[in-house]
Amino acid sequence: MRTLSIRPAPRRPGASILLPAAVLLLAGACGRGAPPPPEKQAERLPPALRPVAQLRLEESAEVINVAPRVSLEAGGGFLVSDEREAQVRVYDSAGRLLRHFGGKGRGPGEFDVVLGALRLPSREILAIDMFGRATVFDSTGATVVRSGETSLGSLYHARVLDDSLVLLAGRPREGDTSRRLHLWNRRTGRIAHSFFAPPLRDRTDSIAAATMGFVSVAARGDTLAAVFALRDTVYLFDRAGRSAGKVPIRFQRFRPITPAPRRLEREDGRRWATSFSLITDLFWLPDGDFVVQFQDRTLVDRNWHLHRMSRGGRRVAEVHDTPHLLAVDAATSLLWFVRPGADAPNEWTAARWVP
């Protein structure tokens, strides 16, 4: 296994890894002021995953990785956004820090909670904010090309489809708020079409969806795929947003949602929120298989799991108590994790599924 290492700067005292922003809303709803639990990485990869490389991201006095979200660059390298630090960082394939930009605020080039950074076909960089704002930077991140609102009140995830259309997962600010997928034309700044209202059966589903109902998306050719945090299903659509079917996820260890207590205050609410599993990410491998990342939470920690399945729904593998999976290379099938046992999320391990 090869090692790529860049000496990091000293870590700021008190830096910790936070829950995803959507889960922070739950903490506020169920216990005001409750600090989010840290993310403790699993000590090793399961036997079904073989490590092939290690990487340490360079840091500096201005750049500390706290809650990274990762987008892979086509030619190697990484776009890393950090929702806690309100920054976007550009790294080369060896982990060297090339540049960083952004900052906390609502001015040009600033973020409330930066949810992701994506490279556009034009080589410009699109950064999206959890609260619905989208900013396009030039290819280096030095200049704001344009910035504006998407009309969504909260964003969960995004995928670039072409030079104009971006698939956004999130909740509209007004109107029909049930639809969670949106084809956003970045050139006009308008939503071209909204679709996919996740099935909500009762009061419990509605409460959970309001605070933990995030959606993750993947795209392959003319097909869009989505998962909803509370449902063991992959939903398929064409590029126009028309349903193309759904595929059951045959989990081995996924805890279904439990009835919500009558009072969602403090300890009762937090205990309920840790009583069921949540799907957090969907990735599409080159051979057509899906990789679904899901988590179980306790009051003090999170445990990550992976489920690999065929396009038709056949379970290929399921592994439990893994490190946090940050990204999957759709061209090479390489999986990028926070390094097992790492104290900080700037230490990564690349792995492959064992045949």
Side-chain angles (χ1 to χ4, degrees):
M1 180 174 65
R2 60 193 178 94
T3 299
L4 308 173
S5 180
I6 299 292
R7 182 178 297 276
R11 185 159 297 276
R12 282 204 296 264
S16 63
I17 304 168
L18 296 186
L19 287 170
V23 180
L24 289 178
L25 296 179
L26 174 71
C30 298
R32 299 184 186 280
E39 182 176 283
K40 181 180 178 182
Q41 297 302 323
E43 292 298 324
R44 61 185 59 84
L45 287 172
L49 294 166
R50 176 172 57 87
V52 296
Q54 290 189 1
L55 181 75
R56 177 171 291 192
L57 299 184
E58 182 180 7
E59 297 183 331
S60 69
E62 295 80 28
V63 175
I64 302 293
N65 287 280
V66 179
R69 293 177 180 243
V70 181
S71 175
L72 303 179
E73 296 269 49
F78 312 92
L79 283 176
V80 178
S81 59
D82 196 304
E83 62 186 56
R84 179 71 184 276
E85 298 290 287
Q87 277 185 348
V88 175
R89 297 83 182 254
V90 182
Y91 288 94
D92 70 10
S93 59
R96 284 185 287 264
L97 179 64
L98 302 179
R99 63 192 68 91
H100 64 90
F101 51 95
K104 189 72 174 176
R106 304 220 61 178
E110 296 178 330
F111 311 106
D112 286 318
V113 180
V114 59
L115 195 67
L118 304 167
R119 184 73 69 174
L120 297 169
S122 63
R123 302 297 299 161
E124 296 170 317
I125 297 172
L126 171 66
I128 57 174
D129 193 281
M130 177 186 172
F131 299 109
R133 196 150 40 101
T135 304
V136 177
F137 296 84
D138 67 11
S139 62
T140 67
T143 303
V144 174
V145 177
R146 67 186 70 87
S147 181
E149 300 292 333
T150 63
S151 79
L152 300 179
S154 59
L155 279 166
Y156 313 131
H157 200 203
R159 293 285 184 192
V160 174
L161 300 182
D162 55 39
D163 199 37
S164 297
L165 287 179
V166 179
L167 177 62
L168 299 178
R171 294 175 57 182
R173 189 173 290 119
E174 55 189 20
D176 182 0
T177 61
S178 65
R179 298 181 181 183
R180 300 297 174 93
L181 294 181
H182 315 273
L183 294 173
W184 178 65
N185 188 314
R186 71 174 187 88
R187 297 189 181 279
T188 65
R190 296 180 178 275
I191 300 290
H193 181 52
S194 296
F195 55 102
F196 182 47
L200 303 179
R201 297 171 298 199
D202 51 27
R203 169 183 174 270
T204 288
D205 280 359
S206 297
I207 292 172
T211 53
M212 297 171 285
F214 32 79
V215 173
S216 179
V217 294
R220 172 71 59 86
D222 291 331
T223 303
L224 312 178
V227 287
F228 176 56
L230 308 173
R231 291 288 177 267
D232 54 354
T233 303
V234 176
Y235 301 89
L236 302 175
F237 305 90
D238 65 16
R239 284 282 293 266
R242 293 182 293 256
S243 175
K246 53 187 179 180
V247 185
I249 307 172
R250 295 178 171 87
F251 286 115
Q252 289 177 307
R253 200 174 88 185
F254 184 83
R255 299 181 300 164
I257 192 167
T258 57
R262 290 178 61 87
R263 297 171 63 89
L264 286 174
E265 295 178 357
R266 301 190 180 277
E267 295 305 319
D268 286 347
R270 286 196 288 269
R271 286 195 192 94
W272 169 69
T274 60
S275 68
F276 51 91
S277 302
L278 289 174
I279 296 174
T280 59
D281 300 281
L282 177 66
F283 304 97
W284 216 328
L285 296 177
D287 64 2
D289 285 0
F290 292 113
V291 175
V292 180
Q293 182 163 233
F294 63 106
Q295 64 169 236
D296 292 312
R297 298 156 328 286
T298 68
L299 293 177
V300 296
D301 207 351
R302 285 180 293 168
N303 298 315
W304 297 98
H305 319 293
L306 296 177
H307 180 95
R308 180 174 177 175
M309 58 184 280
S310 71
R311 168 73 178 263
R314 178 179 60 87
R315 184 172 62 237
V316 177
E318 184 168 302
V319 291
H320 305 124
D321 301 317
T322 70
H324 186 189
L325 178 60
L326 299 171
V328 173
D329 192 324
T332 66
S333 296
L334 205 61
L335 286 73
W336 286 97
F337 295 89
V338 176
R339 183 180 63 78
D343 293 324
N346 71 316
E347 299 179 52
W348 295 359
T349 290
R352 296 187 186 279
W353 290 97
V354 175

